[in-house]
Amino acid sequence: MAVNEGEVIFAICSRRRGETSSQGGDQELKVEAYRVLTSHLKQCGSKLLPQLLDKFHEIVPLVLNDAGTDVEELAVAALQFLGYSLFDQSLASISQAEVIVPVLCELVLRRQATSEVVTLLLWCLANHKMICSTSLVTAHVKVQVLMLSQLIVSRRHATLAVEAECLNLLHRMYREHEVVFTALEPVVWYPSLVALLTGDHCKNVTVALQLAKKLESLLIGNHEVASWLVDFLKEKLALTLYKQFSIAKRELMVLSIWEHFVRVLDKQLHNYGNWFNNFLKIAEQAFKHEDCKVQVAAYKAWKSLIDNYALNLRILTGSRRMKLIMTPLVVSKPACLA
């Protein structure tokens, strides 16, 4: 593909950081320039674009400026170019992590940002290799985790694409920077994971549950996390799960989430209140379900409750708890236990 590299780079650099274009023609020229470079990066990488490699340090602040514009077409084009640039090994090695990460995180939380722009911002962050010092990586992981928590819990952009990119970014930070990620207090990142576990998009909920199970060792026994989860269950989570259980084909997923919560709650579950009734209704409905697979899953989940009570022998052998534990076993349907 023939690329007049000098012209397209000149179009991007034609406006300095902080300046805006008063003419639509200038914006259209920049959009086209971004698209040309993006297309070339997708097909050939940066190896045939020597001027881009030379000027990338100069271009990055200008691209970030365009990414923050209210003109969606220009922001989208700029972010697509940035994402493919960060995916390119040569450009990633000279990218400015100390500039890129904080700016992208700030743009994600802008009220003016559309869901499409937010999706691309998260995609750029997930593509970024963060080739920088250990101290800078630590700071950037924390900034991104805090940003994700604020974005996800707010539910302002609860679309399939945005939530998928949030999960991609969480997975990447855990996979590539496990030591840094696990050093963070779980109560910082767990609320965002719980919000994804109770989202409306089954595919994302499944991925979130897989990640939650991988991180359980960091959660179980953490008093602060368990206390937060109890408060959230009291507020609305128990009722939300109960409603989701009634949605066709989500029963098994909800039971898996229920089982996960029982393990995370640990001994906090021994001092339950009224919220616990809504929480138990999920298992009760599962025992009565017409599908034997759901009933079998209910017994598996119920075992996690028995294991939880077994953490304290006095709790397990108390008459009240013993009656609770035995109830589904007494009224069970033998055919579904076979």
Side-chain angles (χ1 to χ4, degrees):
M1 180 179 67
V3 177
N4 191 328
E5 190 184 0
E7 286 187 11
V8 294
I9 291 177
F10 176 78
I12 293 172
C13 297
S14 62
R15 294 270 167 187
R16 286 303 179 193
R17 184 173 173 82
E19 291 183 356
T20 57
S21 173
S22 58
Q23 297 180 6
D26 291 342
Q27 291 177 352
E28 290 175 5
L29 184 63
K30 295 185 80 172
V31 168
E32 184 58 29
Y34 282 130
R35 287 174 177 169
V36 168
L37 288 177
T38 299
S39 178
H40 190 85
L41 285 170
K42 287 168 69 175
Q43 294 181 42
C44 309
S46 62
K47 57 186 177 182
L48 299 180
L49 296 174
Q51 290 187 49
L52 179 60
L53 286 167
D54 290 340
K55 290 183 173 290
F56 196 60
H57 277 86
E58 179 184 350
I59 290 173
V60 166
L62 304 175
V63 175
L64 292 173
N65 190 56
D66 287 336
T69 180
D70 292 335
V71 181
E72 185 174 22
E73 186 181 27
L74 178 56
V76 167
L79 288 168
Q80 287 174 337
F81 165 70
L82 181 61
Y84 281 103
S85 297
L86 297 175
F87 193 71
D88 182 88
Q89 193 63 40
S90 298
L91 293 174
S93 65
I94 57 174
S95 64
Q96 305 167 57
E98 68 280 4
V99 175
I100 292 174
V101 174
V103 172
L104 292 181
C105 288
E106 183 180 338
L107 291 177
V108 166
L109 298 176
R110 286 175 73 236
R111 289 196 173 276
Q112 300 95 317
T114 65
S115 292
E116 183 179 3
V117 169
V118 169
T119 300
L120 286 168
L121 287 163
L122 294 167
W123 173 68
C124 287
L125 285 167
N127 275 351
H128 193 213
K129 301 297 182 183
M130 286 203 294
I131 303 172
C132 52
S133 66
T134 303
S135 60
L136 201 55
V137 168
T138 301
H140 285 170
V141 167
K142 187 171 184 178
V143 165
Q144 290 176 86
V145 168
L146 290 171
M147 175 273 294
L148 286 174
S149 182
Q150 190 172 340
L151 172 67
I152 296 168
V153 174
S154 71
R155 301 272 193 189
R156 283 201 298 116
H157 298 283
T159 66
L160 177 65
V162 168
E163 289 186 353
E165 289 301 336
C166 286
L167 283 164
N168 284 340
L169 186 52
L170 276 172
H171 261 293
R172 175 185 167 275
M173 285 189 288
Y174 173 63
R175 184 178 64 252
E176 296 183 10
H177 309 288
E178 183 176 355
V179 174
V180 175
F181 185 85
T182 55
L184 296 172
E185 287 295 328
V187 77
V188 173
W189 48 261
Y190 190 56
S192 59
L193 198 51
V194 170
L196 291 169
L197 282 172
T198 55
D200 297 327
H201 309 291
C202 287
K203 184 177 179 180
N204 289 339
V205 173
T206 301
V207 176
L209 183 58
Q210 291 170 351
L211 181 57
K213 288 181 177 180
K214 287 180 182 178
L215 296 170
E216 272 187 8
S217 61
L218 302 173
L219 300 166
I220 296 173
N222 187 303
H223 180 78
E224 192 174 6
V225 167
S227 296
W228 173 85
L229 185 55
V230 167
D231 290 340
F232 196 37
L233 283 164
K234 287 179 182 177
E235 184 181 346
K236 63 179 180 180
L237 183 55
L239 188 57
T240 298
L241 278 178
Y242 180 66
K243 289 179 179 178
Q244 288 187 342
F245 183 82
S246 64
I247 300 174
K249 298 183 179 180
R250 295 196 70 167
E251 300 93 343
L252 295 176
M253 187 184 299
V254 171
L255 283 171
S256 293
I257 296 170
W258 191 92
E259 189 178 343
H260 164 72
F261 285 156
V262 168
R263 289 193 293 268
V264 172
L265 285 166
D266 203 50
K267 292 183 180 180
Q268 287 282 344
L269 195 56
H270 301 173
N271 302 310
Y272 55 76
N274 292 332
W275 63 270
F276 191 63
N277 293 328
N278 284 328
F279 193 60
L280 280 182
K281 283 179 182 177
I282 297 167
E284 291 172 1
Q285 289 298 311
F287 286 125
K288 300 173 185 177
H289 203 278
E290 59 184 15
D291 188 336
C292 281
K293 289 182 180 179
V294 175
Q295 291 186 32
V296 171
Y299 284 105
K300 182 175 179 289
W302 199 252
K303 181 182 178 297
S304 69
L305 183 65
I306 297 173
D307 291 340
N308 180 287
Y309 287 159
L311 294 171
N312 186 324
L313 189 60
R314 182 180 60 82
I315 294 292
L316 179 64
T317 57
S319 59
R320 187 178 175 188
R321 295 308 202 293
M322 188 60 70
K323 181 179 179 181
L324 172 65
I325 288 171
M326 292 302 296
T327 298
L329 305 181
V330 172
V331 300
S332 64
K333 295 182 179 181
C336 291
L337 290 174

